[in-house]
Amino acid sequence: VGFGALDGDFKDRDAQLIGGSTDSEFVHHAWRASREDLAKLAFPRLADIKIGDALPELRVPLTASLIVAGAVASRDFTPVHHDKTAAQKTGMQDVFMNILTTEGFVSRFVTDWAGPDAAIRKLSVKLGGPNLPVITMVSPGSVKSKQGDELGIEVVGKNAWGNHVSALVTLTLPK
């Protein structure tokens, strides 16, 4: 309940609270019906997460610096990810994001929503159009499966070219 009073502070830091409980959504409903402080909690509890729930959208303005930094941080020194001339020789208009940086943004998107105690168990990605500087990648997501403390989250990263990435992330939340 104490964290509920701090929900605005977490949102100011682009974080979302998710409460864990071994109780069912029926028990949660009874709590909210009988206790005003629990009725006002703004963050979801694991038992309340349903298949089809939407995750808050992530918008990432892409810059050449971000794309190059992602490639270097993941030790991908392929010239098309840091050298505009090399990228243009392959027919691209500029440097473009590597797959490891894309996977990092997918992981960030899901763990920002699920919280720091979530553990990614599996990440499956399919790349589409490139991520280039001066466009924005927009990532919506939704809960596709739920079994015990394991969730399947579908993520699609879109940009001006269409889908950059389609991903399915399997993660567990603490009990």
Side-chain angles (χ1 to χ4, degrees), residues 121-138:
R121 300 295 180 203
K122 184 177 179 182
L123 174 63
S124 302
V125 300
K126 178 182 176 186
L127 290 180
N131 259 347
L132 299 166
V134 193
I135 60 176
T136 297
M137 181 174 65
V138 179

Side-chain angles (χ1 to χ4, degrees), residues 1-12:
V1 177
F3 281 114
L6 300 173
D7 190 56
D9 293 337
F10 282 93
K11 286 181 180 172
D12 288 344

